[in-house]
Amino acid sequence: MSKKILVVGGGLAGTIVANGLCRHIGKELRNGKAQITMLGTSEQHLYQPALLFVPFGLAGEEDLFRNQRKLLNRYITYHVDPAKHIDAENKKVTTESGKVLDYDYLILATGSRIMPQTIPGMEEGALWFYDLDGARKMRTALQAFKGGKIIINVNAPHKCPVAPLEITFMLYDYLTKRGLIDKTEITYTYPIGRLHALEPVAHWCKPEMDKKGIKYETFFNAESVDPAKKTITSMEGITLDYDMLITIPPHSGMDVVDNSNLGKGGWATTDPKSLLHTEHDSIFVIGDTTNIPISKAGSTAHFETEVVIANITSMIQEGCWSRYYDGKVFCFVETGMDEGTYVWFDYENPPNPGPPSQMIHWLKLTYNRLYWLSARGLL
Amino acid sequence: MSERKTIDARGSFCPGPLMELIAGIKLAEVGEELEILSGDRGSAEDIPAWIAKVGHEYIKTDKIDDYWSIIVKKTK
Ligand SMILES: Cc1cc2nc3c(=O)[nH]c(=O)nc-3n(C[C@H](O)[C@H](O)[C@H](O)COP(=O)(O)OP(=O)(O)OC[C@H]3O[C@@H](n4cnc5c(N)ncnc54)[C@H](O)[C@@H]3O)c2cc1C
């Protein structure tokens, strides 16, 4: 009997896992012993990290998009038809168009999304770069900016823990180059009691911000925005006024997770080591949509795909389990327009960033290009 | 009373226990209790400090083996 693998979500994790599986179970796919189907929402694949560069006019269509079908191995059947409901008991998925697909292994990789609408006034009063429309609006607003108070407001939970810092330092460089930095006050707000979730990154960035005159406010979780008065108020009772509010809105996962009773807030309950859904052993969960308490980042998703590829391959070929996820995360951190650093850590080993250098900045830029190879399963 | 939800944030260097709790509280109902498990001393101090700032109810902290259990009630 052919083993049916169904990948729900054609973003970073879904694409890497599906292409990676094709390389490992190529023989089974050719002789009909296995088949891979993917459900997605679009013909286009968006490379989200490039959104960081859009507000500064440094990323265009070529950096952001590829045709999803062209990225996928020819053995993958791709449907632009989102999953509406997952019936985990009977191993069936119903799509938006009404198709019903059954599976032996389901890989849930529906990612996360920004929810500015959950904070009163935020949609009207704030700018963001976490989706393409937002990043383009922010570019327009920055081009018209003549100086004033900018607040960079970070909310929990959010994906890509380094992007808030990167945007802050890149914005500083951008305003310096435009000769506006002396007319601008930047304030960075962060949900917890230090400037970054990663302790060594927090230690490193505090003096960097002090040196640059960037102000900060910790223990700040947005409760409401008043677009008319141009103020933002935190749950902790602090109100700040702004001329430009840039936010990293709180995130949630996708409705299909809650609608299928697989988790809450779109976060699917996932075993941190096996990456199986805690109640269903034919469902693997990877990428942003897990409820594992680690960074929601492309690199997390990438390391998780390696574990899922190994385990599905091993189960199909040898009927046994292969390996567990150790919580590995690796992140590049852009520390300005021309410099970068990196950090890595796992469940056991705390993070330790290296000193910033221009080489790491170039490596990150190179990775932005290499991503498309990585998504094809070639890296 | 609804069942108490546990957020196991041991081994979480990023985003870390407090950020997990903030995310968890946003999804909880008013009146619900949450237990957060944390492997680092810093969070065992930060979490009660944050709860006091926001005005939720801090119930207790227990040190168990090499980790902390902190219980909070969402009040608003
Ligand atoms: C501005 C920005 C900068 C970033 N920078 C970095 C970085 O430098 N380094 C890094 O490691 N990470 C970075 N990230 C984070 C990274 O992009 C995400 O963590 C990563 O994309 C997660 O992969 P995923 O597959 O879980 O989710 P996604 O890549 O978001 O993919 C999920 C896919 O599922 C689809 N989907 C949703 N619902 C359904 C459904 N019901 N049925 C079918 N399909 C569905 C979505 O349309 C989407 O295509 C950045 C993100 C942003 C926004």
Side-chain angles (χ1 to χ4, degrees):
Chain A
M1 266 263 291
S2 182
K3 289 286 181 202
K4 291 181 181 162
I5 302 166
L6 181 58
V7 182
V8 180
L12 186 144
T15 302
I16 295 179
V17 88
N19 281 333
L21 275 168
C22 289
R23 297 205 308 141
H24 285 75
I25 56 164
K27 195 168 88 213
E28 288 78 5
L29 291 168
R30 281 193 296 279
N31 65 23
K33 292 223 165 85
Q35 42 184 296
I36 304 179
T37 305
M38 177 183 281
L39 298 176
T41 55
S42 166
E43 293 287 349
Q44 296 294 316
H45 186 110
L46 168 68
Y47 177 55
Q48 297 173 40
L51 291 172
L52 179 66
F53 299 89
V54 172
F56 308 107
L58 296 173
E61 294 275 319
E62 165 66 16
D63 307 293
L64 291 161
F65 291 112
R66 291 289 184 278
N67 179 289
Q68 177 68 6
R69 288 178 202 276
K70 288 193 180 149
L71 277 181
L72 294 176
N73 185 293
R74 64 197 170 94
Y75 281 104
I76 301 164
T77 307
Y78 182 58
H79 302 290
V80 179
D81 192 1
K84 194 170 167 196
H85 183 260
I86 298 167
D87 174 355
E89 300 303 331
N90 297 302
K91 299 191 190 175
K92 286 186 195 313
V93 173
T94 307
T95 67
E96 292 284 351
S97 77
K99 272 196 212 75
V100 179
L101 304 171
D102 55 351
Y103 62 84
D104 294 290
Y105 302 109
L106 182 119
I107 303 167
L108 185 62
T110 42
S112 61
R113 60 189 159 148
I114 54 168
M115 301 292 280
Q117 64 274 33
T118 58
I119 296 185
M122 185 174 267
E123 267 185 309
E124 307 78 39
L127 299 163
W128 57 82
F129 58 98
Y130 265 55
D131 64 17
L132 188 55
D133 270 1
R136 286 181 172 156
K137 275 192 198 135
M138 183 169 153
R139 179 178 60 195
T140 309
L142 274 181
Q143 283 167 359
F145 186 71
K146 301 272 187 305
K149 285 185 180 173
I150 301 184
I151 292 180
I152 299 171
N153 157 251
V154 188
N155 294 284
H158 68 267
K159 62 183 151 191
C160 194
V162 294
L165 275 185
E166 292 180 316
I167 200 79
T168 305
F169 290 123
M170 289 169 78
L171 185 65
Y172 177 89
D173 279 5
Y174 168 89
L175 293 170
T176 305
K177 281 185 187 145
R178 280 193 49 205
L180 291 170
I181 201 68
D182 294 339
K183 294 187 209 145
T184 307
E185 179 186 286
I186 303 177
T187 306
Y188 170 92
T189 77
Y190 205 65
I192 62 171
R194 57 178 185 242
L195 294 176
H196 196 264
L198 287 162
E199 206 167 351
V201 175
H203 284 154
W204 160 79
C205 70
K206 191 166 182 287
E208 290 292 319
M209 287 195 189
D210 289 338
K211 206 163 66 191
K212 294 179 160 72
I214 298 170
K215 295 184 161 181
Y216 36 80
E217 190 72 49
T218 54
F219 283 132
F220 190 102
N221 290 279
E223 186 168 69
S224 62
V225 174
D226 185 333
K229 290 197 187 128
K230 296 201 163 213
T231 57
I232 177 168
T233 300
S234 73
M235 293 177 189
E236 293 81 1
I238 307 284
T239 297
L240 302 173
D241 55 336
Y242 65 83
D243 295 301
M244 177 184 279
L245 174 62
I246 298 168
T247 187
I248 285 80
H251 286 44
S252 83
M254 299 297 162
D255 292 338
V256 66
V257 173
D258 294 46
N259 295 344
S260 311
N261 224 357
L262 296 174
K264 197 171 175 191
W267 315 122
T269 47
T270 310
D271 181 87
K273 294 193 172 155
S274 67
L275 302 178
L276 288 169
H277 189 275
T278 49
E279 278 151 48
H280 305 284
D281 60 10
S282 43
I283 301 184
F284 287 90
V285 190
I286 48 173
D288 290 352
T289 197
T290 77
N291 75 332
I292 305 175
I294 54 173
S295 316
K296 297 193 182 301
S299 77
T300 311
H302 198 151
F303 291 124
E304 290 170 348
T305 63
E306 290 173 5
V307 174
V308 172
I309 292 167
N311 286 325
I312 293 184
T313 302
S314 176
M315 285 194 288
I316 287 179
Q317 292 176 343
E318 298 173 58
C320 65
W321 190 261
S322 162
R323 50 183 275 215
Y324 290 93
Y325 178 53
D326 61 3
K328 188 161 185 189
V329 180
F330 174 95
C331 285
F332 286 114
V333 189
E334 289 284 84
T335 54
M337 288 291 196
D338 316 300
E339 269 196 344
T341 182
Y342 65 92
V343 280
W344 79 266
F345 52 97
D346 59 30
Y347 292 141
E348 306 287 335
N349 298 291
N352 201 2
S357 78
Q358 215 173 29
M359 198 189 80
I360 295 166
H361 166 73
W362 289 113
L363 208 63
K364 169 152 181 166
L365 293 189
T366 311
Y367 182 79
N368 286 342
R369 309 246 162 243
L370 291 179
Y371 171 74
W372 302 111
L373 288 179
S374 158
R376 287 189 173 94
L378 298 175
L379 275 185
Chain B
M1 201 188 85
S2 58
E3 203 186 320
R4 182 189 291 153
K5 189 175 177 284
T6 298
I7 302 169
D8 188 350
R10 289 173 292 176
S12 173
F13 295 113
C14 180
L18 176 52
M19 203 87 95
E20 288 292 333
L21 175 68
I22 295 169
I25 271 194
K26 288 183 180 173
L27 291 175
E29 305 290 332
V30 171
E32 203 177 321
E33 282 187 11
L34 291 173
E35 177 188 35
I36 178 109
L37 306 182
S38 162
D40 76 279
R41 180 181 297 276
S43 310
E45 286 158 13
D46 263 15
I47 290 175
W50 180 74
I51 296 163
K53 268 179 189 284
V54 178
H56 294 304
E57 189 182 336
Y58 166 63
I59 312 265
K60 64 169 180 169
T61 301
D62 287 318
K63 171 96 185 356
I64 307 163
D65 300 330
D66 57 349
Y67 67 92
W68 286 261
S69 151
I70 303 148
I71 299 175
V72 187
K73 187 173 184 178
K74 176 164 171 164
T75 55
K76 55 183 190 179

